Amino acid sequence: MYDPQKVEEKWQKVWEEMNLFKANEGGEKAYVLEMFPYPSGRIHMGHVRNYTIGDVLARFLRFKGYNVLHPMGWDAFGLPAENAAIKQGVHPADWTYENISYMKRQLKRLGFSYDWDREIATCDPEYYRWNQWLFLKFYEKGLAYRKLAEVNWCPNDQTVLANEQVVDGRCWRCSTPVVRKEVPSWYLKITAYAERLLEDLKLLEGKWPERVISQQRNWIGKSEGALIKFYVDDIPIEVFTTRPDTVFGATFLVLAPEHPITLELAKRGGKVQEVMSFVRKVKSIPVKERGKEEEKEGVFLGVYATNPANGEKLLVWSANYVLYEYGTGAIMAVPAHDQRDYEFALKYQLPIKYVVRPSEGDLPKDKAYEEEGVLIDSGAFSGMSSQEAKKSITSWLKERGHADFRITYRLKDWNISRQRYWGTPIPIIYCDRCGTVPVPEEDLPVLLPKNVSITGHGNPLETVEDFVNTTCPKCKGPAKRETDTMDTFFDSSWYFLRYCDPKNEKEIFQKEKVAFWMPVDFYIGGIEHAVLHLLYARFFQKFLYDLGLVKDKEPFLRLITQGMVLKKWVSIESYLSHLGLTQEDDLEELFRRLW
Amino acid sequence: MRIGDFLKEHKLSVGDNVRFLFEKLGIHDEKLLKDTENQMGEPAKMSKSKANTVDPEDAINAYGADTVRLYILFAGPVEKDFEWTDEGVQGAYRFLRRLWNYFHENLEKLKLTSYSYEELKDLKGKVKEIRRKTHTTLKKYMIDMEELAFNTAIANIMELMNTLQDFEPTQEQDYKVLKESFEILLFMLYPITPHICEELWSRLGYTKPMCFYPFPKPDEAALKVEELEIPVQINGKLRAVITLPVDADEQTAKSTALSNEKVRKFIDGKEIKKVIYVKNKLINLVVGDV
């Protein structure tokens, strides 16, 4: 009789006792890695699929004679543990470690051939101290900085809410409407690596799914164009455009409501009241929602700028469809050749002037012509192709000090600050005398205090006095610790390196060990990580490459994005409609149809 | 009472799984629920909110880890979504049980059997076919695994298993071939369903886990198909000789004959009225004017 339970238990024990899957340096290596799980409590079928694929590869490669590294660990910091603490009063650490031990047993029952000696949990101080060390390196290189960030704020709980804690615009716990608030936050300057992150995607072609590569390319969003200066009297307004060939068709300028000179210009134009109320209204809507806004709205600032190409006077507006975070936060509106500008111009009856026509055929009616073509009504540039005119017009304006060539990226710097307890403390100290002081390396780790009360009100760390109050490493006077913790994507941006040398107490890892095992030969996980995790991990790898700690430019040689596990289900709604019933019908009728 | 009020009373929303409505109505009928799902269900990503999850632990308790692993890999290409069905996982379980049983039916004989490559060189007939099938499967397997086409690799292993089951070994040589085939099959399945393979391997008398033994390599000589020279007649007259694999079907025989230079000369502009094919003996084409 085939008794799988008995057979499986027996062999799992044999493998474990023989230490069969332990990996040591030597021979020809293969590194098989599955994206490590968040210890949510129990594994689900998606995990099983993910890890089964990895395990088959690992076991097959061992047969082929490779020395296989196949590790497993836990992405263990994060919000659910803190939510469990708020709801059930259990400490996030206890909750997390219990989940880890349960899930580990579950994984063992599946017979995965992991080298469990290399297990890591990102919430262990032995791991997160190296997060802090990395942060100090970023800081030292000028790649970590602090600026204001817009966050969700619950005025009742006095706490910052993650996006997933905002339900229909309200706080998930107390249903108070969430407001926008600006808080100082730590950023990593990933934009300094934008070009390399884009360029090195070429190394991954044919090895990563094309879909992931193109998602990363779009996320980085490189555009080449020109930075053009328009003047309102003595005040310059810089705009970035990818279509300098259409500058003769600019009929007005639009500033984002948050643009610092919006109000200044409104003052000059005598429109302060109107503009202020408009800005207030737009600011109440989160930036993320604004792009989706169907209705474009704007307000005239009462001033005019000069088009440097033809000297024409242009109205200056502020509108909700221009975002301060993108480009320069101001645009030259060319309604004839940009559909959004076109719609805005129609609504507010602003002039529309065509300056590019298709090389064949006619200009479209009732909409903007967004393609390239041949220039018309553009002075000396008329008759030139768009391609050529982009360069010529920019050079011509540049000679006269009005423009320059410019490349921009859609990619923004990464806000790693979280006003949360269950994460890696950011190793920074604020001193009244010395200012912002990084924690010296030898003082790491900055331990996350265990005695904390997690109530859902405020940032828990702020109330732990032993933690907050410290001495300044420079002047030894009293000082305060940073209470923000790190985004957990920080933790997962380099864990694959730590697996190569997981128990090192002296350094983040031994260079030689990482040189032996890296890069990861097969990395397996869900497509949902196409941009954030996989982009951040590539960023960290490049940063460590610059520090001379790793030899590979890219961390993951081959990426496998496994599909989802689906199952059929029927909702009450579709069941009722299948029976030809609605909620208005009588329950008796449902019973009658059922039998 | 309105249906809507009943839902409200029981804190249900129309977006919930109909399973909860049945429960609240006091209907505990797994079959009705399954029929409903089969009839009007929509496949969706497993999620708690839709209550359409299968707990891996339940699946392991019911079928074992090997079955779950086998099913998950067999159900479709790795990068594609696949729909979990009870029938599917049961099918995987039945396959492993079949493997287990068939193995044990032959175990006593196989334990007493040993073989060497040398002994398996000059085979004839059925055993030669079995051995060819085994080594062809192994060769395809190596390519499929490199390409991460686990589902096709498994399908081929299952096909090999069917072939072995149809084989009725009687002589010593039969068992030598069967043993080799079995061992190769175990190695191919090992990365996918390691536990059952280790167990069967040890029952063959091996004392160490499978990873201590060399993975088999396809024997190129065994892959070769035996060929025969077959005369081609046109209207009863010998016009050419073609080479065909042993036991080639009529389709193969006909297309090979028609692509022969000499044959084409004789049938050019004529209509083929009839093909008479005697397996491994001859092919006769009856042609006439169009």
Side-chain angles (χ1 to χ4, degrees):
Chain A
M1 258 290 287
Y2 175 39
D3 180 352
Q5 267 67 13
K6 217 172 114 192
V7 170
E8 289 167 8
E9 223 170 279
K10 170 182 164 187
W11 287 100
Q12 283 160 19
K13 216 170 138 221
V14 172
W15 296 332
E16 193 162 335
E17 278 167 4
M18 294 182 79
N19 233 331
L20 227 47
F21 309 120
K22 189 161 176 52
N24 292 307
E25 290 78 16
E28 199 178 341
K29 70 95 188 178
Y31 187 173
V32 179
L33 182 65
E34 299 114 48
M35 292 181 185
F36 67 165
Y38 177 75
S40 55
R42 300 171 77 85
I43 59 163
H44 55 65
M45 223 34 111
H47 292 131
V48 179
R49 189 174 194 195
N50 190 167
Y51 309 151
T52 301
I53 294 166
D55 197 51
V56 170
L57 277 171
R59 287 178 184 266
F60 179 67
L61 291 168
R62 281 191 199 102
F63 267 146
K64 289 199 71 183
Y66 289 98
N67 179 10
V68 176
L69 174 59
H70 188 214
M72 183 40 81
W74 311 95
D75 189 11
F77 272 138
L79 198 55
E82 212 157 318
N83 289 347
I86 296 169
K87 283 185 185 156
Q88 304 153 30
V90 51
H91 195 280
D94 299 338
W95 186 85
T96 304
Y97 284 109
E98 254 170 53
N99 286 347
I100 287 176
S101 93
Y102 191 85
M103 289 169 78
K104 188 172 171 180
R105 270 207 307 280
Q106 288 189 306
L107 293 185
K108 287 195 167 179
R109 278 196 70 191
L110 280 152
F112 297 136
S113 59
Y114 296 127
D115 178 357
W116 283 107
D117 287 348
R118 292 175 185 260
E119 179 183 6
I120 53 178
T122 56
C123 62
D124 289 341
E126 295 76 26
Y127 182 85
Y128 72 66
R129 67 172 294 174
W130 303 111
N131 278 344
Q132 295 171 335
W133 182 86
L134 275 168
F135 178 88
L136 294 177
K137 291 290 158 202
F138 279 115
Y139 186 79
E140 199 181 298
K141 304 284 171 195
L143 294 168
Y145 66 96
R146 207 170 180 228
K147 71 168 182 187
L148 287 176
E150 203 184 57
V151 294
N152 305 305
W153 177 258
C154 173
N156 181 47
D157 290 340
Q158 292 286 302
T159 195
V160 175
L161 299 174
N163 285 335
E164 54 270 36
Q165 291 175 313
V166 180
V167 181
D168 298 327
R170 290 168 182 274
C171 173
W172 65 301
R173 291 185 62 227
C174 64
S175 295
T176 306
V178 168
V179 298
R180 312 294 302 165
K181 193 181 167 182
E182 286 192 319
V183 298
S185 300
W186 283 97
Y187 281 79
L188 290 190
K189 208 169 185 175
I190 188 173
T191 52
Y193 283 75
E195 190 57 36
R196 284 162 68 187
L197 288 167
L198 182 70
E199 193 56 30
D200 288 351
L201 286 174
K202 287 186 189 135
L203 303 174
L204 306 174
E205 272 165 23
K207 298 176 187 140
W208 280 33
E210 185 45 49
R211 212 173 131 197
V212 176
I213 294 178
S214 74
Q215 277 189 61
Q216 292 221 349
R217 194 175 288 128
N218 292 337
W219 190 265
I220 296 165
K222 180 178 182 172
S223 41
E224 289 180 53
L227 193 72
I228 305 178
K229 260 188 238 170
F230 292 73
Y231 278 90
V232 176
D233 305 327
D234 54 323
I235 303 176
I237 301 173
E238 291 195 320
V239 309
F240 172 76
T241 177
T242 57
R243 294 294 302 273
D245 55 317
T246 64
V247 66
F248 285 87
T251 54
F252 56 100
L253 298 186
V254 187
L255 273 63
E258 286 94 343
H259 198 295
I261 66 168
T262 299
L263 284 177
E264 195 184 330
L265 293 176
K267 257 180 230 158
R268 282 206 189 187
K271 303 266 187 183
V272 176
Q273 289 308 319
E274 296 162 68
V275 174
M276 274 198 8
S277 80
F278 173 75
V279 168
R280 211 173 298 129
K281 187 178 157 199
V282 177
K283 271 188 163 178
S284 68
I285 302 161
V287 172
K288 280 200 187 92
E289 303 295 315
R290 278 187 227 163
K292 300 172 200 156
E293 194 80 6
E294 284 289 310
E295 191 60 23
K296 292 176 184 58
E297 274 187 69
V299 60
F300 176 44
L301 301 182
V303 294
Y304 297 84
T306 309
N307 186 335
N310 55 14
E312 278 174 21
K313 288 287 166 202
L314 309 176
L315 294 91
V316 183
W317 284 64
S318 179
N320 60 350
Y321 74 101
V322 175
L323 306 180
Y324 184 54
E325 293 176 12
Y326 287 96
T328 59
I331 62 156
M332 65 171 201
V334 186
H337 303 291
D338 182 285
Q339 187 58 24
R340 293 184 312 165
D341 296 345
Y342 182 87
E343 285 162 17
F344 190 79
L346 279 192
K347 178 170 175 180
Y348 292 101
Q349 296 176 333
L350 299 166
I352 299 172
K353 182 188 168 194
Y354 285 87
V355 290
V356 177
R357 62 163 175 79
S359 27
E360 279 171 31
D362 297 324
L363 282 162
K365 288 196 172 60
D366 307 328
K367 67 171 185 184
Y369 173 66
E370 292 191 323
E371 310 300 311
E372 298 188 343
V374 179
L375 269 65
I376 50 174
D377 276 341
S378 299
F381 302 95
S382 300
M384 210 177 251
S385 74
S386 289
Q387 280 297 339
E388 205 187 337
K390 282 181 185 178
K391 284 192 204 105
S392 307
I393 290 182
T394 308
S395 306
W396 174 66
L397 289 174
K398 186 180 173 176
E399 277 165 28
R400 299 161 52 205
H402 290 305
D404 206 346
F405 292 95
R406 179 66 63 97
I407 292 167
T408 64
Y409 300 89
R410 187 180 161 271
L411 183 69
K412 296 280 155 276
D413 280 341
W414 171 16
N415 177 355
I416 59 155
S417 272
R418 295 293 178 272
Q419 293 71 26
R420 301 268 143 223
Y421 166 70
W422 194 233
T424 306
I426 293 176
I428 288 287
I429 289 167
Y430 301 105
C431 170
D432 284 343
R433 286 159 297 271
C434 311
T436 303
V437 184
V439 173
E441 261 182 47
E442 57 275 20
D443 290 351
L444 296 183
V446 177
L447 285 173
L448 191 61
K450 182 97 201 265
N451 61 329
V452 61
S453 73
I454 298 166
T455 56
H457 298 274
N459 177 353
L461 281 181
E462 279 174 358
T463 59
V464 184
E465 297 206 353
D466 289 354
F467 177 81
V468 175
N469 297 316
T470 185
T471 49
C472 171
K474 270 194 190 160
C475 72
K476 310 297 172 200
K480 304 242 181 246
R481 278 192 198 281
E482 171 64 67
T483 54
D484 286 354
T485 54
M486 294 180 194
D487 178 3
T488 57
F489 275 115
F490 194 112
D491 314 350
S492 55
S493 294
W494 67 280
Y495 74 109
F496 44 90
L497 298 168
R498 185 69 181 172
Y499 279 139
C500 301
D501 190 12
K503 300 209 169 101
N504 199 325
E505 291 172 7
K506 304 236 157 34
E507 51 192 343
I508 184 165
F509 48 73
Q510 210 185 82
K511 232 174 109 173
E512 294 73 23
K513 288 188 175 171
V514 162
F516 178 78
W517 291 112
M518 286 293 287
V520 172
D521 294 274
F522 292 94
Y523 194 31
I524 309 140
I527 186 86
E528 67 274 17
H529 295 293
V531 273
L532 297 179
H533 164 58
L534 288 168
L535 191 68
Y536 293 150
R538 295 181 58 226
F539 165 44
F540 271 50
Q541 178 81 13
K542 289 177 194 308
F543 176 64
L544 288 162
Y545 178 89
D546 291 348
L547 292 183
L549 292 175
V550 302
K551 67 176 197 323
D552 309 294
K553 288 182 179 168
E554 287 292 327
F556 313 124
L557 208 56
R558 272 195 74 177
L559 176 72
I560 301 160
T561 51
Q562 96 269 3
M564 294 186 294
V565 185
L566 315 175
K567 192 167 188 299
K568 270 192 184 160
W569 77 298
V570 178
S571 68
I572 294 177
E573 188 170 30
S574 61
Y575 186 70
L576 291 178
S577 92
H578 191 82
L579 295 181
L581 297 171
T582 72
Q583 289 190 74
E584 299 309 314
D585 289 303
D586 201 274
L587 195 61
E588 289 305 314
E589 188 59 27
L590 174 60
F591 268 113
R592 242 170 28 82
R593 305 261 173 116
L594 258 167
W595 305 123
Chain B
M1 189 191 236
R2 279 169 62 250
I3 295 171
D5 294 332
F6 180 83
L7 295 179
K8 205 176 255 173
E9 194 182 303
H10 292 279
K11 296 199 169 80
L12 290 174
S13 96
V14 288
D16 287 335
N17 194 316
V18 74
R19 153 197 305 277
F20 300 117
L21 175 62
F22 287 173
E23 272 171 23
K24 296 295 176 198
L25 290 170
I27 304 165
H28 300 283
D29 185 346
E30 275 301 314
K31 193 176 173 302
L32 173 69
L33 191 68
K34 261 206 80 181
D35 291 347
T36 308
E37 277 171 8
N38 286 337
Q39 211 185 336
M40 59 186 99
E42 287 283 337
K45 183 181 179 181
M46 286 188 180
S47 75
K48 273 189 193 147
S49 66
K50 294 191 179 78
N52 65 337
T53 55
V54 173
D55 185 348
E57 216 169 306
D58 292 343
I60 298 171
N61 289 338
Y63 305 107
D66 280 337
T67 293
V68 173
R69 296 169 58 120
L70 177 67
Y71 173 48
I72 271 191
L73 293 172
F74 181 52
V78 288
E79 67 283 0
K80 292 264 166 31
D81 295 349
F82 88 89
E83 185 194 327
W84 180 285
T85 65
D86 293 343
E87 292 73 19
V89 70
Q90 282 157 12
Y93 179 68
R94 276 198 305 273
F95 172 74
L96 292 184
R97 206 177 45 193
R98 195 149 58 89
L99 171 71
W100 179 275
N101 291 340
Y102 183 59
F103 175 87
H104 283 90
E105 282 162 25
N106 294 286
L107 180 60
E108 284 315 307
K109 273 278 174 44
L110 291 178
K111 266 169 84 170
L112 299 171
T113 304
S114 63
Y115 64 89
S116 69
Y117 261 41
E118 208 49 41
E119 290 174 289
L120 301 176
K121 258 172 84 179
D122 299 307
L123 300 171
K124 293 251 173 319
K126 189 74 190 162
V127 276
K128 189 177 173 75
E129 263 312 292
I130 297 272
R131 187 153 195 268
R132 194 175 67 79
K133 176 90 185 170
T134 303
H135 283 269
T136 320
T137 307
L138 177 59
K139 190 165 183 184
K140 278 193 274 185
Y141 172 88
M142 299 307 281
I143 297 166
D144 282 340
M145 293 297 279
E146 296 285 338
E147 291 173 352
L148 314 179
F150 305 131
N151 57 326
T152 35
I154 294 169
N156 290 332
I157 293 171
M158 288 178 169
E159 205 186 297
L160 174 63
M161 174 69 193
N162 290 341
T163 308
L164 295 184
Q165 267 194 303
D166 291 342
F167 177 48
E168 283 164 8
T170 50
Q171 297 162 22
E172 200 193 333
Q173 195 186 48
D174 296 353
Y175 281 101
K176 286 183 193 293
V177 170
L178 185 63
K179 183 161 184 175
E180 189 205 21
S181 293
F182 242 126
E183 293 185 351
I184 288 177
L185 189 137
L186 288 185
F187 272 106
M188 289 192 292
L189 266 180
Y190 170 84
I192 300 152
T193 60
H195 311 87
I196 189 172
C197 294
E198 290 276 28
E199 182 64 27
L200 299 182
W201 181 253
S202 79
R203 288 187 188 206
L204 279 174
Y206 295 100
T207 52
K208 280 183 175 175
M210 288 179 76
C211 60
F212 288 99
Y213 298 87
F215 197 82
K217 287 194 173 67
D219 178 357
E220 290 296 330
L223 298 175
K224 281 217 184 94
V225 184
E226 225 179 317
E227 289 178 333
L228 286 172
E229 304 224 301
I230 305 281
V232 183
Q233 298 181 345
I234 293 170
N235 293 340
K237 276 190 188 141
L238 177 68
R239 296 297 187 191
V241 174
I242 55 170
T243 309
L244 283 178
V246 171
D247 293 338
D249 58 17
E250 180 169 328
Q251 191 58 40
T252 316
K254 188 178 160 187
S255 63
T256 313
L258 293 182
S259 61
N260 182 288
E261 207 46 43
K262 283 185 192 159
V263 174
R264 292 231 311 256
K265 236 168 47 196
F266 283 100
I267 59 171
D268 196 27
K270 301 214 166 87
E271 188 187 3
I272 297 163
K273 305 220 150 132
K274 203 174 169 189
V275 178
I276 301 153
Y277 173 56
V278 184
K279 208 181 252 183
N280 302 334
K281 289 268 169 5
L282 77 101
I283 180 163
N284 185 10
L285 305 172
V286 182
V287 300
D289 292 326
V290 182

